Amino acid sequence: MTVAEVMAELAALEDPKARAINEKHGDDHGVNLSKLRAVAKRLKTQQDLARELWATGDTAARLLALLICRPKEFERDELDAMLREARTPKVHDWLVNYVVKKSPHAEELRVAWFADADPVVASAGWALTTERVAKKPEGLDLDGLLDVIEAEMKAAPDRLQWAMNHCLAQIGIEHAGHRARALAIGERLQVLKDYPTPPGCTSPFAPIWITEIVRRQEVAG
């Protein structure tokens, strides 16, 4: 399919109700994500088409591009530019989770983004750090991360605060030796304590999050 044909199909999938819901979360598109994934499944992997869809700047097209691309074929600077122009939260999240995490440049970008002055870019660095906390903690300074979280999370902008809080919770969940300090930091800072949490979901407030996931792990044996 050509870009024009794909864009026409996405336009036909536009749903005002979906757009209203998405816009509440800062995402300016009206395509149901299950339907978007169905389009991606049909198109399969097409790196050239993915690049062309990304270049349109359209949010739904960019989400589709991230589903049909080959993560390992992007250059480091290309991924850096893509992150900086990923205007909406969903595009940002999918880019980091579906593409950058699978890239050979992930660690280099993690280090660069972690120290970036732009809090949204920095949040991507924290997301990649959280991935390492869980899966490859060797070489990470967990005490140093907790120091930064303790000093900076309370006043951090929303996206960065959320990413730092996730890292705090992951340290507490995965690393028993740091759990008491992670819990204490969460209790002292009170970040996301009052976040509205649907029934059956775990609160993002770090002490509750850590305690609940550790409990489940212990039950699972």
Side-chain angles (χ1 to χ4, degrees):
M1 293 179 74
T2 66
V3 171
E5 288 169 337
V6 175
M7 295 302 290
E9 183 167 354
L10 292 176
L13 291 173
E14 175 76 21
D15 178 353
K17 291 182 180 177
R19 178 173 286 275
I21 293 169
N22 290 333
E23 286 182 344
K24 288 181 181 179
H25 300 101
D27 295 311
D28 57 351
H29 76 95
V31 180
N32 176 282
L33 294 181
S34 295
K35 293 180 179 178
L36 189 78
R37 291 180 186 278
V39 174
K41 188 174 181 180
R42 196 181 73 245
L43 290 174
K44 299 180 181 175
T45 303
Q46 297 190 50
Q47 180 70 2
D48 291 342
L49 180 58
R51 281 196 167 102
E52 292 177 51
L53 288 169
W54 181 272
T56 67
D58 178 82
T59 294
R62 284 185 162 180
L63 291 172
L64 181 59
L66 296 171
L67 294 174
I68 67 170
C69 71
R70 289 189 182 91
K72 294 180 180 178
E73 290 193 14
F74 290 108
E75 297 296 331
R76 178 223 182 271
D77 290 348
E78 191 175 10
L79 290 171
D80 182 69
M82 289 168 72
L83 185 86
R84 293 175 191 279
E85 62 185 38
R87 301 171 295 102
T88 66
K90 186 66 72 176
V91 172
H92 175 102
D93 291 344
W94 281 21
L95 175 61
V96 172
N97 288 298
Y98 296 171
V99 180
V100 178
K101 285 181 180 179
K102 299 175 183 176
S103 164
H105 309 293
E107 179 60 15
E108 185 182 352
L109 289 169
R110 181 189 75 81
V111 174
W113 290 343
F114 189 88
D116 200 275
D118 183 331
V120 175
V121 175
S123 74
W126 277 91
L128 293 172
T129 299
T130 300
E131 176 88 347
R132 274 203 57 189
V133 165
K135 296 183 178 179
K136 195 179 177 183
E138 299 79 14
L140 283 180
D141 178 4
L142 298 180
D143 279 317
L145 288 172
L146 290 173
D147 288 343
V148 175
I149 291 167
E150 190 166 24
E152 300 178 12
M153 182 171 74
K154 183 81 170 179
D158 288 351
R159 297 277 292 283
L160 179 55
Q161 184 185 72
W162 188 272
M164 294 173 84
N165 183 71
H166 190 179
C167 190
L168 173 65
Q170 205 68 54
I171 291 172
I173 291 164
E174 299 289 345
H175 301 279
H178 297 274
R179 188 170 297 148
R181 186 182 176 199
L183 288 166
I185 290 171
E187 289 289 359
R188 185 159 56 255
L189 298 184
Q190 297 285 292
V191 168
L192 299 175
K193 183 177 183 181
D194 298 322
Y195 191 84
T197 305
C201 295
T202 302
S203 169
F205 179 49
I208 294 176
W209 190 354
I210 294 167
T211 302
E212 173 60 17
I213 300 304
V214 170
R215 184 193 67 78
R216 290 183 198 174
Q217 290 174 343
E218 290 172 348
V219 169

